[in-house]
Amino acid sequence: YWDYRKQVFQDRAFLCMRLENGAMFPEDESTLKWGHTEILPDDKNGRLVLSHDRSNFKLDEMNHPSVIRCVWYIIHMALENGEYCRRGLVVIVPSHNTVPQHFSRKYIKMLWTSIRDCLPVRLRAIHACHPTVVTDLMFPVIKQVMGMELRRRWYRHCGSKTEVLRTLSEYGLEEEGLPKVLGGCFARSSSWIDERRTLERARAKEQVQEESRVVKEDIAADGAKEGVVVQQQEG
């Protein structure tokens, strides 16, 4: 985990996973706003569900390391619910709007290595929805970097939106919790990043206050000990 975190976050690797004064780079917030990776409602088994839609990449601003950092950030954010570590992760990959420029061998390797070997959550399934010819052409590369275990968890969903929704429902993924690009009903509020920043600022403030309290208590305790020693010496 830490070896790869150092590779992904470089000299910020040991900072808290937050947007400001943390592990995230200044440009990462803009990358988050693309909406390429989003937390969806849990499936019927209470598992964490992510949508990873490469068609939301902004090709004129493409920064694959920033995308990987965003994936790490979002998964860490979700894992504040510790139950997900036990229940696992499901990834939905809408693919019908992808083009060759959305793919990078290095990026694919970094993504699936992170999920397979590093992040503290077990991947239960990957659902590739509406795969295109481009996706099929890239699949041998994807398979190579995913490894045998993840390949066994890869499911293709083809056909109309109605057909794909039906087959996804067989895996506990209902229309109400799926993104609109797949014909679902779910859309995350565009203000979630601002809300998250506010929460992180409040937590950081509480942390500083707690650290200050501990330091003051330690100083007071040391002073009390010195007073006892002086009294003993005078006695």
Side-chain angles (χ1 to χ4, degrees):
Y1 171 88
W2 284 107
D3 286 343
Y4 215 70
R5 179 160 170 164
K6 285 188 290 184
Q7 182 178 339
V8 172
F9 291 93
Q10 302 173 28
D11 59 346
R12 295 171 175 257
F14 296 103
L15 298 177
C16 294
M17 191 69 74
R18 58 187 181 217
L19 294 171
E20 295 179 344
N21 303 315
M24 298 294 279
F25 286 42
E27 64 267 25
D28 294 342
E29 182 174 333
S30 175
T31 306
L32 275 174
K33 291 178 180 178
W34 298 351
H36 53 82
T37 306
E38 294 188 324
I39 300 172
L40 303 179
D42 297 354
D43 68 2
K44 283 191 173 181
N45 296 307
R47 295 180 294 195
L48 169 63
V49 182
L50 293 184
S51 170
H52 185 67
D53 188 351
R54 287 182 294 267
S55 68
N56 286 335
F57 290 172
K58 291 190 176 182
L59 297 178
D60 57 339
E61 302 175 22
M62 195 63 243
N63 182 339
H64 285 118
S66 181
V67 172
I68 298 297
R69 289 193 296 270
C70 290
V71 172
W72 274 63
Y73 175 78
I74 288 172
I75 291 180
H76 277 80
M77 183 175 69
L79 292 182
E80 290 174 4
N81 178 351
E83 285 296 308
Y84 289 142
C85 295
R86 179 177 61 85
R87 296 173 183 167
L89 165 67
V90 174
V91 178
I92 296 175
V93 185
S95 302
H96 49 314
N97 292 321
T98 55
V99 297
Q101 292 81 359
H102 290 140
F103 292 90
S104 158
R105 184 185 182 91
K106 182 178 179 180
Y107 159 73
I108 292 171
K109 182 177 181 180
M110 290 180 69
L111 175 66
W112 295 115
T113 299
S114 295
I115 293 176
R116 183 188 63 212
D117 300 332
C118 304
L119 292 165
V121 60
R122 185 174 179 81
L123 182 64
R124 300 295 185 183
I126 307 163
H127 297 279
C129 303
H130 304 288
T132 62
V133 173
V134 173
T135 308
D136 289 338
L137 288 174
M138 290 300 300
F139 190 58
V141 176
I142 298 172
K143 285 173 61 177
Q144 183 179 3
V145 300
M146 288 175 69
M148 181 63 72
E149 183 177 354
L150 291 193
R151 290 201 295 270
R152 291 172 178 167
R153 301 173 185 274
W154 180 280
Y155 304 95
R156 289 174 90 253
H157 300 269
C158 303
S160 66
K161 283 188 177 182
T162 301
E163 291 170 330
V164 169
L165 289 173
R166 179 184 57 79
T167 57
L168 286 172
S169 69
E170 296 172 0
Y171 293 90
L173 298 161
E174 298 297 336
E175 179 179 339
E176 293 75 16
L178 294 172
K180 291 186 175 181
V181 69
L182 294 178
C185 304
F186 182 78
R188 181 166 294 281
S189 169
S190 59
S191 64
W192 78 267
I193 295 177
D194 292 332
E195 294 168 358
R196 181 68 187 180
R197 184 189 299 104
T198 299
L199 175 62
E200 290 176 354
R201 285 174 177 172
R203 288 177 175 175
K205 183 177 180 180
E206 290 175 0
Q207 181 180 359
V208 170
Q209 292 173 342
E210 177 63 16
E211 291 173 352
S212 177
R213 182 188 65 79
V214 171
V215 169
K216 289 178 180 178
E217 288 180 354
D218 289 344
I219 293 174
D222 290 342
K225 290 178 182 179
E226 291 176 2
V228 170
V229 171
V230 171
Q231 289 177 359
Q232 290 175 345
Q233 291 173 346
E234 291 177 348

